[in-house]
């Protein structure tokens, strides 16, 4: 019997995006990927997409987000970890980057963040330092 693919939902509330911004991130090519372990018991994967005005006007930003949504639809069921929130942020090249290269950017960022979350010795880079006793 095969396992069903994990359920994927969209992030829509600002506090969820802000929490992901405090977590680890990885910039690859035309995207930045942020990943946050929710540390709850739900196997749900949540994903959000954003593009700033630096990327371009509304039409260009919407194109970048559509392309990132499709890349996430293709790659997240295979590479995302259950219980994590992911935010994909478009960079300047996202709207015009060749499709195979954009997929490769997202895939390599997901693999890199998965490797970082597996290593127990690596603390979150944005976590405050622990006080010395």
């Amino acid at each position: 019997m095969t396992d069903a693919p994990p359920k994927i939902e969209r992030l829509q509330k600002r506090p969820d995006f802000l929490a992901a911004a405090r977590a680890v991130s990885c910039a690859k090519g035309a995207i930045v990927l942020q990943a946050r372990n929710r540390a709850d018991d739900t196997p749900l994967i949540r994903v959000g997409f954003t593009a700033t005005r630096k990327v371009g006007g509304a039409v260009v930003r919407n194109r970048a987000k559509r392309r990132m949504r499709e890349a996430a639809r293709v790659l997240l069921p295979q590479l995302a970890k259950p219980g994590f929130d992911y935010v994909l942020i478009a960079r300047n090249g996202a709207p015009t980057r060749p499709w195979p290269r954009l997929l490769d950017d997202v895939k390599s960022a997901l693999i890199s963040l998965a490797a970082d979350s597996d290593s127990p010795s690596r603390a979150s880079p944005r976590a405050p330092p622990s006080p010395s006793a």
Side-chain angles (χ1 to χ4, degrees), residues 14-47:
R14 180 172 165 76
D16 293 331
F17 282 88
L18 294 176
R22 290 188 300 271
V24 295
S25 65
C26 180
K28 297 283 185 184
I31 61 110
V32 174
L33 180 67
Q34 299 169 336
R36 176 179 82 99
N37 187 351
R38 289 191 313 275
D40 59 9
D41 293 333
T42 61
L44 182 67
I45 296 169
R46 299 190 312 172
V47 62

Short mmCIF file of all heavy atoms in Angstrom, two decimals, residues 14-47:
data_model
loop_
_atom_site.label_atom_id
_atom_site.label_comp_id
_atom_site.label_asym_id
_atom_site.label_seq_id
_atom_site.Cartn_x
_atom_site.Cartn_y
_atom_site.Cartn_z
N ARG A 14 -0.61 37.17 7.41
CA ARG A 14 0.66 37.85 7.60
C ARG A 14 1.52 37.25 8.72
O ARG A 14 2.73 37.09 8.54
CB ARG A 14 0.40 39.33 7.83
CG ARG A 14 1.65 40.16 8.04
CD ARG A 14 1.33 41.65 8.07
NE ARG A 14 2.40 42.44 8.60
CZ ARG A 14 3.51 42.75 7.94
NH1 ARG A 14 3.69 42.31 6.73
NH2 ARG A 14 4.45 43.50 8.51
N PRO A 15 0.95 36.90 9.89
CA PRO A 15 1.80 36.33 10.94
C PRO A 15 2.51 35.04 10.51
O PRO A 15 3.63 34.78 10.96
CB PRO A 15 0.82 36.05 12.08
CG PRO A 15 -0.31 36.98 11.85
CD PRO A 15 -0.41 37.14 10.36
N ASP A 16 1.89 34.26 9.65
CA ASP A 16 2.54 33.04 9.16
C ASP A 16 3.75 33.39 8.28
O ASP A 16 4.79 32.74 8.35
CB ASP A 16 1.56 32.18 8.36
CG ASP A 16 0.45 31.61 9.25
OD1 ASP A 16 0.70 31.40 10.45
OD2 ASP A 16 -0.66 31.38 8.73
N PHE A 17 3.61 34.41 7.44
CA PHE A 17 4.73 34.86 6.60
C PHE A 17 5.85 35.43 7.47
O PHE A 17 7.03 35.18 7.21
CB PHE A 17 4.26 35.91 5.59
CG PHE A 17 3.54 35.33 4.41
CD1 PHE A 17 2.18 35.12 4.44
CD2 PHE A 17 4.23 35.00 3.25
CE1 PHE A 17 1.51 34.59 3.35
CE2 PHE A 17 3.58 34.46 2.16
CZ PHE A 17 2.21 34.26 2.20
N LEU A 18 5.49 36.19 8.51
CA LEU A 18 6.50 36.77 9.39
C LEU A 18 7.23 35.69 10.18
O LEU A 18 8.44 35.79 10.40
CB LEU A 18 5.85 37.78 10.34
CG LEU A 18 5.28 39.04 9.68
CD1 LEU A 18 4.59 39.92 10.71
CD2 LEU A 18 6.37 39.80 8.96
N ALA A 19 6.52 34.65 10.59
CA ALA A 19 7.16 33.55 11.31
C ALA A 19 8.15 32.83 10.39
O ALA A 19 9.25 32.46 10.81
CB ALA A 19 6.11 32.57 11.83
N ALA A 20 7.78 32.64 9.14
CA ALA A 20 8.69 31.99 8.18
C ALA A 20 9.91 32.87 7.91
O ALA A 20 11.01 32.37 7.69
CB ALA A 20 7.96 31.69 6.89
N ALA A 21 9.73 34.18 7.95
CA ALA A 21 10.85 35.10 7.71
C ALA A 21 11.90 35.00 8.81
O ALA A 21 13.07 35.29 8.57
CB ALA A 21 10.34 36.53 7.59
N ARG A 22 11.50 34.58 10.00
CA ARG A 22 12.45 34.43 11.11
C ARG A 22 13.16 33.08 11.06
O ARG A 22 14.08 32.84 11.84
CB ARG A 22 11.73 34.60 12.45
CG ARG A 22 11.28 36.01 12.72
CD ARG A 22 10.75 36.17 14.13
NE ARG A 22 9.59 35.32 14.40
CZ ARG A 22 8.32 35.66 14.19
NH1 ARG A 22 8.04 36.84 13.69
NH2 ARG A 22 7.35 34.82 14.47
N ALA A 23 12.74 32.20 10.18
CA ALA A 23 13.32 30.85 10.09
C ALA A 23 14.49 30.85 9.09
O ALA A 23 14.89 31.90 8.58
CB ALA A 23 12.25 29.86 9.66
N VAL A 24 15.00 29.68 8.80
CA VAL A 24 16.12 29.56 7.88
C VAL A 24 15.66 29.85 6.45
O VAL A 24 14.51 29.64 6.10
CB VAL A 24 16.78 28.16 7.94
CG1 VAL A 24 17.41 27.93 9.29
CG2 VAL A 24 15.79 27.08 7.62
N SER A 25 16.59 30.36 5.64
CA SER A 25 16.26 30.66 4.25
C SER A 25 17.43 30.27 3.37
O SER A 25 18.56 30.09 3.83
CB SER A 25 15.93 32.14 4.07
OG SER A 25 17.07 32.92 4.33
N CYS A 26 17.13 30.14 2.08
CA CYS A 26 18.13 29.74 1.10
C CYS A 26 17.83 30.47 -0.20
O CYS A 26 16.72 30.37 -0.72
CB CYS A 26 18.08 28.22 0.91
SG CYS A 26 19.27 27.63 -0.27
N ALA A 27 18.80 31.21 -0.71
CA ALA A 27 18.64 31.92 -1.98
C ALA A 27 19.31 31.11 -3.08
O ALA A 27 20.49 30.79 -2.98
CB ALA A 27 19.26 33.31 -1.89
N LYS A 28 18.56 30.77 -4.10
CA LYS A 28 19.07 30.03 -5.25
C LYS A 28 18.53 30.67 -6.51
O LYS A 28 17.33 30.68 -6.74
CB LYS A 28 18.64 28.56 -5.21
CG LYS A 28 19.14 27.77 -4.04
CD LYS A 28 20.56 27.39 -4.21
CE LYS A 28 20.98 26.49 -3.05
NZ LYS A 28 22.37 26.14 -3.08
N GLY A 29 19.40 31.20 -7.33
CA GLY A 29 19.00 31.75 -8.62
C GLY A 29 17.94 32.82 -8.52
O GLY A 29 18.16 33.88 -7.95
N ALA A 30 16.76 32.53 -9.02
CA ALA A 30 15.69 33.52 -9.12
C ALA A 30 14.72 33.49 -7.94
O ALA A 30 13.72 34.21 -7.96
CB ALA A 30 14.92 33.32 -10.42
N ILE A 31 14.98 32.67 -6.92
CA ILE A 31 14.05 32.59 -5.80
C ILE A 31 14.81 32.59 -4.47
O ILE A 31 15.99 32.27 -4.40
CB ILE A 31 13.14 31.34 -5.87
CG1 ILE A 31 13.96 30.03 -5.83
CG2 ILE A 31 12.27 31.34 -7.08
CD1 ILE A 31 13.79 29.28 -4.57
N VAL A 32 14.08 32.94 -3.43
CA VAL A 32 14.53 32.74 -2.05
C VAL A 32 13.48 31.85 -1.42
O VAL A 32 12.28 32.08 -1.57
CB VAL A 32 14.63 34.08 -1.28
CG1 VAL A 32 14.96 33.83 0.18
CG2 VAL A 32 15.64 34.99 -1.92
N LEU A 33 13.91 30.82 -0.72
CA LEU A 33 12.99 29.90 -0.07
C LEU A 33 13.22 29.96 1.43
O LEU A 33 14.36 29.83 1.90
CB LEU A 33 13.21 28.47 -0.57
CG LEU A 33 12.31 27.40 0.04
CD1 LEU A 33 10.86 27.62 -0.38
CD2 LEU A 33 12.75 26.02 -0.39
N GLN A 34 12.15 30.20 2.17
CA GLN A 34 12.20 30.21 3.63
C GLN A 34 11.45 28.98 4.11
O GLN A 34 10.40 28.63 3.56
CB GLN A 34 11.53 31.45 4.19
CG GLN A 34 12.19 32.74 3.76
CD GLN A 34 11.37 33.96 4.11
OE1 GLN A 34 10.16 33.90 4.29
NE2 GLN A 34 12.05 35.10 4.20
N ALA A 35 11.98 28.31 5.12
CA ALA A 35 11.35 27.10 5.66
C ALA A 35 11.30 27.18 7.17
O ALA A 35 12.32 27.45 7.81
CB ALA A 35 12.10 25.86 5.21
N ARG A 36 10.12 26.93 7.73
CA ARG A 36 9.94 26.99 9.18
C ARG A 36 9.30 25.69 9.65
O ARG A 36 8.26 25.27 9.12
CB ARG A 36 9.04 28.15 9.56
CG ARG A 36 8.73 28.22 11.05
CD ARG A 36 7.86 29.40 11.38
NE ARG A 36 6.46 29.16 11.13
CZ ARG A 36 5.57 28.82 12.06
NH1 ARG A 36 5.96 28.66 13.31
NH2 ARG A 36 4.31 28.66 11.75
N ASN A 37 9.91 25.07 10.63
CA ASN A 37 9.33 23.89 11.25
C ASN A 37 8.29 24.37 12.26
O ASN A 37 8.62 25.06 13.21
CB ASN A 37 10.41 23.06 11.95
CG ASN A 37 9.88 21.75 12.47
OD1 ASN A 37 8.68 21.50 12.47
ND2 ASN A 37 10.78 20.91 12.93
N ARG A 38 7.03 23.99 12.04
CA ARG A 38 5.96 24.43 12.93
C ARG A 38 6.01 23.72 14.28
O ARG A 38 5.42 24.17 15.24
CB ARG A 38 4.60 24.19 12.28
CG ARG A 38 4.30 25.10 11.15
CD ARG A 38 2.84 25.02 10.73
NE ARG A 38 2.35 23.66 10.58
CZ ARG A 38 2.47 22.92 9.48
NH1 ARG A 38 3.08 23.41 8.43
NH2 ARG A 38 2.00 21.70 9.44
N ALA A 39 6.70 22.57 14.34
CA ALA A 39 6.85 21.80 15.57
C ALA A 39 5.49 21.38 16.14
O ALA A 39 5.30 21.33 17.34
CB ALA A 39 7.66 22.57 16.61
N ASP A 40 4.55 21.11 15.26
CA ASP A 40 3.29 20.52 15.70
C ASP A 40 3.19 19.12 15.11
O ASP A 40 4.05 18.69 14.36
CB ASP A 40 2.09 21.39 15.31
CG ASP A 40 1.97 21.62 13.82
OD1 ASP A 40 2.71 20.98 13.05
OD2 ASP A 40 1.14 22.44 13.41
N ASP A 41 2.17 18.40 15.45
CA ASP A 41 2.07 17.01 15.03
C ASP A 41 1.32 16.82 13.72
O ASP A 41 1.11 15.69 13.29
CB ASP A 41 1.39 16.18 16.13
CG ASP A 41 2.26 16.09 17.37
OD1 ASP A 41 3.49 16.18 17.23
OD2 ASP A 41 1.70 15.94 18.47
N THR A 42 0.90 17.90 13.09
CA THR A 42 0.15 17.75 11.84
C THR A 42 1.11 17.52 10.68
O THR A 42 2.14 18.18 10.57
CB THR A 42 -0.70 18.99 11.55
OG1 THR A 42 0.15 20.12 11.42
CG2 THR A 42 -1.71 19.25 12.65
N PRO A 43 0.79 16.58 9.80
CA PRO A 43 1.66 16.31 8.65
C PRO A 43 1.42 17.27 7.48
O PRO A 43 1.86 17.03 6.37
CB PRO A 43 1.27 14.88 8.26
CG PRO A 43 -0.15 14.78 8.66
CD PRO A 43 -0.30 15.62 9.90
N LEU A 44 0.75 18.35 7.75
CA LEU A 44 0.38 19.33 6.74
C LEU A 44 1.60 20.13 6.28
O LEU A 44 2.45 20.50 7.08
CB LEU A 44 -0.66 20.27 7.34
CG LEU A 44 -1.25 21.35 6.48
CD1 LEU A 44 -2.10 20.74 5.37
CD2 LEU A 44 -2.11 22.26 7.33
N ILE A 45 1.68 20.40 4.98
CA ILE A 45 2.69 21.28 4.41
C ILE A 45 1.97 22.56 3.99
O ILE A 45 0.95 22.49 3.31
CB ILE A 45 3.37 20.64 3.18
CG1 ILE A 45 4.11 19.38 3.59
CG2 ILE A 45 4.31 21.63 2.51
CD1 ILE A 45 4.58 18.55 2.42
N ARG A 46 2.49 23.70 4.43
CA ARG A 46 1.88 24.97 4.03
C ARG A 46 2.89 25.76 3.22
O ARG A 46 4.08 25.74 3.51
CB ARG A 46 1.43 25.76 5.25
CG ARG A 46 0.39 25.02 6.07
CD ARG A 46 -0.26 25.84 7.14
NE ARG A 46 0.68 26.59 7.94
CZ ARG A 46 0.32 27.50 8.85
NH1 ARG A 46 -0.95 27.76 9.06
NH2 ARG A 46 1.23 28.14 9.55
N VAL A 47 2.40 26.47 2.20
CA VAL A 47 3.30 27.21 1.32
C VAL A 47 2.68 28.56 0.97
O VAL A 47 1.46 28.67 0.80
CB VAL A 47 3.63 26.39 0.04
CG1 VAL A 47 2.39 26.10 -0.77
CG2 VAL A 47 4.68 27.07 -0.80
#
